[in-house]
Structure formats: C-alpha cells, structure tokens
Amino acid sequence: MKPFAYERADSAEVAVREAGTAGAKFIAGGTNLLDLMKLQVETPQTLVDISRLPLSEIEEREDGGLTIGALVPNSDLAADARVIERYPVLSRALLAGASGQLRNKASTGGNLLQRTRCYYFYDTAMPCNKREPGTGCSAREGFNRILAVLGTSENCIATHPSDMAVAMRVLDATIVTLKADGDRRRIGIADFYRLPGDTPHIETALEAGELITHVELPAPPKGKQIYRKVRDRASYAFALVSVAGVVEVADGRIASASLAFGGLGPMPWRDAGVEAALVGKAPDDIAFGAAADALLANARGYGSNDFKIPLARRTLIASLRELTEA
C-alpha cells in the first residue's frame, strides 16, 4: 500500500478545497476506490473523507421529481417507496447490481463515478491508455469479452460498469456539483460522461476537486418502465448487455420511448435514432427490429466480444416486447 494523507471534511466547502490539490481523491463508501488502491491502479496522495457530510437525504421536488443526496446508499435508494412507485427502472437497476453488503456501502455519487472493470485496466503490468495515457490498449487484441462495441476508439474499448447510471440516463437525471472555487454546476447526465477518443483517462465533465452533491430526477415519465440485465451468472456480475426502458403506448401506437443501454459502450449509452425508430409506430417486431438496426449500425466487435452485437439485438427486442405488452 502506498502511503497517503487522510482528511475528514466537515462541510462540502472544506471537502472541495482540500480535494483541489494534486493527487487528492474523495472517498465515501470506497467500494471501488479501495479496490483500485490495493492494486495500485489508483495511488492518491490524499484521501478526503466525505462520508459524514449531510448529503444522505432524498427530497421531494416541486415538479414531482426527487433530489437525491450524493451519499444516499444504493440500498436506501432502491428501497425508497417513492423510487419504487415513480422510478421502478431505477430501483430494479440498483437491485441488479452488486451484493446487498456492497449496496449498503456504495453511494449514489460514487456509483456514477465507477471505473471500468476492464481486466487490463486492473493489471498494472499491462499497457492501458486509461490508466497510463499513451501506453496503448491491450484489450483491443486481447481478451475483451466484457468490453464495448459502441463508442470505442483506437485508444480504448472499455465499458462503463454501473447499472444505476444506465437508469439515470434513461430518466434524464441532472448531476449537481460544487467546484473547488465554490461555484455550483448542474450537468445533465447526457453531458456528464465523455467518449474515450484520444483521452480515455478523462471519463467525465468533472473538474479537479469538483464534488457531486446531489442528483436530480425530473417528474416521473409516462409509460411502462423496465430494467433488463444479461450477465454471465444470476447474481453479482456486471452486465454483458442491459436495457433501461420507458415506453408509452397510446391508441395502438408507441407515443414515447426512452431507452438506455449498459455493457455496450464506455458510458451509459443512449441513441436518439433508436427512439425515433419507435415513436409513432405500431409495437411490433418490424419496429423493434428497426430500433435494433439503429442501435447497432456502428457497432464493432473485437473478437471475444463479437457476440454482444446479436445479444444486444435480442435483448432490446425482448425488452420492447415486455414494455409494450398490455
């Protein structure tokens, strides 16, 4: 273990000031960061403990939505009666991720910031542009079964591992932050994550020392909500493909559709073309197939993960059938 300094923040303002220095990291539940520190993938010089900040409440919004504190544990968020009733896609996504013990510790803000589970990212003996920019991507020619087929680049094919973030993406959540200079920002989740491009080590729009304080959910969407996750084993495994869906059917036609995907890209994936292929159409396999075509038009496998492309098609069509059944 590399030596590091430890600071316990008693306010968000103190936390961002202490985390504004080079080599500092926030820690809350630590369910991802501590693993990375043990493997020396992450070697922070300072840990700023935010776990005791007053950010653990779920509050009503005037528009019927919810404001979720960044430190609300995943287990509490999944079990909240308002989330279960208004946002079942979010509750189901949370329950599909990790074990009960991990959900008790994992925070809402930390879940959004999970690092990839790419094997080569975790192996410090192997080149990885996400871990060490400019060293190369071992996964492209290596064992890449769990990795991305959408949104990749020559420099990285890693996937984002969060189930919760996929549900947040389909719900159009807004991420509220406090910057090191004291300014606050509201970042739509569509603008929060970054594609790898030439800088796969830059994963989000956050600046150095910027702290997620809350996540805002708008009023509940109309329509049926589901979360479907395909994985190698029935519990405690990351998604090979997942679908978060909200679809409204009226007068025999699809009136609105929102779909986000996990396991396919470097961020929670959403493609307006998929939804456009559905709206106004009869809910049948012709429309569902067109939506799958739109999703996978630019998909690319890298050998071990080629199977994800037909798997994504089948999973999307099965999800749409469930979403549109009477």
Side-chain angles (χ1 to χ4, degrees), residues 102-294:
L102 286 173
R103 291 197 298 270
N104 287 340
K105 290 293 292 180
S107 66
T108 298
N111 192 307
L112 292 170
L113 297 175
Q114 286 185 78
R115 308 295 306 274
T116 183
R117 261 56 182 196
C118 174
Y119 308 122
Y120 301 100
F121 174 72
Y122 272 75
D123 185 349
T124 56
M126 300 298 293
C128 171
N129 287 320
K130 187 177 284 291
R131 181 171 22 83
E132 292 185 67
T135 58
C137 176
S138 300
R140 287 174 55 85
E141 303 297 331
F143 185 64
N144 45 50
R145 186 172 186 276
I146 65 172
L147 301 181
V149 296
L150 292 170
T152 60
S153 75
E154 296 298 309
N155 297 290
C156 185
I157 62 170
T159 44
H160 192 277
S162 171
D163 291 289
M164 185 197 78
V166 179
M168 292 289 193
R169 181 70 181 90
V170 86
L171 293 170
D172 291 315
T174 298
I175 297 161
V176 183
T177 71
L178 179 65
K179 295 170 64 176
D181 61 7
D183 288 345
R184 292 190 178 272
R185 283 206 292 170
R186 298 176 74 255
I187 309 168
I189 195 167
D191 300 316
F192 184 72
Y193 293 104
R194 294 285 185 261
L195 289 173
D198 295 329
T199 55
H201 59 292
I202 301 175
E203 299 173 347
T204 72
L206 293 178
E207 299 175 4
E210 190 168 6
L211 173 68
I212 297 174
T213 60
H214 299 86
V215 177
E216 296 174 348
L217 294 180
K222 294 180 180 179
K224 187 175 182 179
Q225 303 180 26
I226 69 163
Y227 187 75
R228 181 183 291 259
K229 180 177 181 178
V230 181
R231 46 190 161 177
D232 280 324
R233 59 183 188 273
S235 61
Y236 318 148
F238 295 99
L240 296 171
V241 177
S242 65
V243 180
V246 183
V247 173
E248 179 189 14
V249 178
D251 300 323
R253 299 281 175 175
I254 297 173
S256 63
S258 300
L259 294 155
F261 304 87
L264 297 179
M267 61 175 71
W269 196 259
R270 190 168 174 184
D271 184 336
V274 178
E275 297 162 10
L278 293 166
V279 175
K281 306 297 194 306
D284 56 30
D285 282 357
I286 296 174
F288 302 163
D293 289 342

Side-chain angles (χ1 to χ4, degrees), residues 1-7 22-25 33-34 36-40 42-48:
M1 179 68 74
K2 299 286 187 181
F4 58 89
Y6 172 84
E7 303 288 345
K25 290 278 186 179
L33 178 59
L34 291 178
L36 295 171
M37 290 176 65
K38 290 173 184 177
L39 295 170
Q40 297 187 12
E42 294 272 12
T43 55
Q45 297 175 23
T46 304
L47 285 185
V48 180

